[in-house]
Amino acid sequence: MSQSLGRALAILDELGEGPRTLDELAAKVGVHKTTVLRLLRTMESGRFVHRDSDHRFHLGSRLFALAGAALEQRGIRDVAAPHLARLNEETGQTIHLGVYEGGNVIYLDKYDSRHSIRMYSRVGLSMPLHATAIAKVLLADLPEPRRRRVAEEIEYTPFTEHTLTGPDRLLDELSRVADQGYALDDAEHETFIRCVAAPVRDATGRVIAAVSISVPEVVLSRDEVLALLPALLDTVHAISAACGHTAP
């Protein structure tokens, strides 16, 4: 490894711990400030670092893009798989992984429950945007104008008596989901199924997927489904950490 490349990587590694001044970076790398500044300017031109108004250096947007590309090449499904399998084993319930793609929410992975009742869901199948917990989690992360536009374009099919009808009710629900960090499908899509879902975040904090636990009413009550929330949150936090997300 060349000396300059080694120093540049040491700088990036240090910035991964937080913003640093030129003096702090020079002390860390162990060379004169002019040498470090030359490296920083090169990396700044490529958006690998950026400098704020207080002359402190931060990791740049190009690194976030590369991190995202690395994860996409590996695939969120592969990253999530061991964690989903563990949650399925721990709870014995149906586990779904879903993503928002091209205006649709799609099942990306599924782990079946241990009981005899099976859900009609399969990998690749889209799910209603207004009546599923995963969809609520994914829509809740959209910027407000886009969230409203999506809500106004939905066809509000009333699957059950509990299904949300109309954009105003959905938007209110999405605000709650964004605030509380999880969503509940309270027999809104199928009368005999409840689901609780929570978000998976990437290094930028953006929601890139959601995980749900789905349970037939004859197996667990509403309160018992909500009691699974801590295990679900532990799972999505672990997947998010594997995707580079650092909890605040």
Side-chain angles (χ1 to χ4, degrees), residues 8 10-11 18-19 30-31 39 56 61 71 77 88 103 117 148-149 153 167 173 177 182 208 212 216 235 241 245:
I11 289 170
V31 296
L39 290 171
R56 290 164 63 82
S61 59
L71 285 170
R77 183 176 179 179
N88 173 251
I117 301 172
R148 178 168 290 279
R149 188 166 62 250
E153 293 173 352
E173 176 76 353
V177 170
Y182 69 91
I208 55 173
S212 72
T235 298
H245 179 64

Side-chain angles (χ1 to χ4, degrees), residues 189-209:
H189 186 213
E190 297 176 279
T191 56
F192 57 94
I193 297 286
R194 287 192 179 91
C195 307
V196 61
V200 173
R201 299 181 183 275
D202 66 8
T204 69
R206 181 175 63 94
V207 174
I208 55 173

Side-chain angles (χ1 to χ4, degrees), residues 89-194:
E89 178 65 26
E90 179 182 345
T91 65
Q93 307 302 331
T94 301
I95 309 300
H96 289 107
L97 175 70
V99 294
Y100 187 60
E101 198 173 82
N104 296 302
V105 173
I106 306 295
Y107 288 117
L108 200 61
D109 210 348
K110 178 185 179 183
Y111 290 73
D112 281 315
S113 66
R114 290 198 294 265
H115 46 72
S116 59
I117 301 172
R118 291 288 184 265
M119 287 189 62
Y120 178 70
S121 58
R122 65 176 186 272
V123 173
L125 189 71
S126 62
M127 62 191 90
L129 298 182
H130 64 298
T132 54
I134 282 182
K136 292 178 187 178
V137 166
L138 295 168
L139 295 183
D141 189 60
L142 297 178
E144 180 62 33
R146 188 178 176 198
R147 189 193 299 180
R148 178 168 290 279
R149 188 166 62 250
V150 170
E152 290 173 347
E153 293 173 352
I154 290 173
E155 181 179 344
Y156 287 87
T157 303
F159 296 102
T160 77
E161 63 179 336
H162 304 291
T163 305
L164 298 176
T165 55
D168 289 340
R169 288 189 62 192
L170 178 60
L171 288 168
D172 287 345
E173 176 76 353
L174 295 181
S175 294
R176 277 193 296 274
V177 170
D179 289 340
Q180 67 192 16
Y182 69 91
L184 179 67
D185 164 7
D186 200 358
E188 297 163 44
H189 186 213
E190 297 176 279
T191 56
F192 57 94
I193 297 286
R194 287 192 179 91

